[in-house]
Amino acid sequence: MTDIVKIGTRGSLLATTQADTVRVALAAAGVEAELVIVKTAGDLSAAPVQTIGVGVFTAALREALADGTVDIAVHSYKDLPTAADDRFTIAAIPVREDPRDALVARDGLVLGELPADAKVGTSAPRRIAQLRALGQGLDVQPLRGNLDTRIGKVASGELDAVIVARAGLSRIGRLDVVTEALDPVQLLPAPAQGALAVECRVEDTDLVTAIATLDDAHSRAAVAAERGLLAELEAGCTAPVGAIAEVVESIDEDGRIFDELSLRGCVAAIDGSDTIRASIVGSPDRAEELGRELARELLDLGARELVSVTEPAQAGSHAQGGTHV
């Protein structure tokens, strides 16, 4: 292990804040580290993520890791492609932030209070599809930029509301702008939303051991289940797929307490015409397998056809949606 470990991160306030939590935790474990800013294609483009490509925010960090520019890469786990890269290992998934989506709306409104034709900003196909499926007639508008830029569009009156990850607002200390943390019954979050992936080279075994002290078993199990679902669906991180898992305590017939993993997933047509939902419960030790089982159930219910539904001609389509529960 080098004297000072280099932690690669994107340059945004959110990314550097996330990476700095890892730096501080490593320092507490006796590992001195510093942040190194890595430019990514996603930082240089204003195009929607689905246009510039899956993994665009993580590819440059992985290149810097591979060529030795940095020793650790800190990713928002939901941005990572589902296919593993044998050169690297996710040595730690720290305790996960609240994975729910958050609404930031004018006048303190919650989602159900937004009028028809209210302009709601988001570029995530998952959010677009689920919003349309609610049948409120919202005018969904494309949205890119850092968190301050996004929430600023509400303050300026350009948009009536935006939907962003609550975890990001929490990490930069802006929960004050949240008007509603959205219940997964309304909008299921992206697989692995709110979780960080602390990645390093496989051969750096001493560093892997040091980083592993930051790992949270429950967060790792939840992420494994959600990502297993995404992988089995063969859907990328920009697909209209939502998932949320949590490890909860249960009691058996003999009064013994044990952990169970509960996973809910959905696939939605991008035009809002239909949404398929399903759930599963099982052992956290089988997290990825549970995710794949649930994905196969969703496929049996017609998920493949929904993922292939194309974008409506109008960005603000007001389609009424139905739901398979």
Side-chain angles (χ1 to χ4, degrees), residues 4-118:
I4 300 179
V5 173
K6 292 180 171 57
I7 301 176
T9 175
R10 295 171 60 201
S12 70
L13 173 61
L14 175 58
T16 55
T17 300
Q18 290 176 165
D20 200 54
T21 64
V22 174
R23 182 194 64 79
V24 170
L26 285 174
V31 178
E32 188 177 356
E34 63 182 12
L35 301 189
V36 175
I37 307 301
V38 177
K39 288 284 187 183
T40 78
D43 300 316
L44 304 174
S45 173
V49 174
Q50 59 268 35
T51 300
I52 55 182
V54 174
V56 67
F57 298 114
T58 58
L61 287 172
R62 282 182 158 175
E63 288 173 13
L65 197 55
D67 66 22
T69 301
V70 301
D71 306 300
I72 295 172
V74 178
H75 309 283
S76 290
Y77 211 142
K78 70 175 182 178
D79 292 338
L80 280 174
T82 52
D85 190 320
D86 293 339
R87 298 171 297 172
F88 313 122
T89 182
I90 307 298
I93 302 173
V95 175
R96 184 184 195 177
E97 282 273 1
D98 187 333
R100 290 176 296 174
D101 281 324
L103 182 77
V104 179
R106 62 173 174 82
D107 306 322
L109 297 176
V110 298
L111 184 58
E113 295 171 337
L114 290 173
D117 292 320

Side-chain angles (χ1 to χ4, degrees), residues 178-208:
V178 175
T179 56
E180 183 181 15
L182 296 173
D183 191 300
V185 171
Q186 295 174 291
L187 258 74
L188 272 175
Q193 185 160 294
L196 299 181
V198 186
E199 189 173 47
C200 65
R201 293 177 291 270
V202 170
E203 66 268 19
D204 292 346
T205 52
D206 288 346
L207 187 55
V208 171

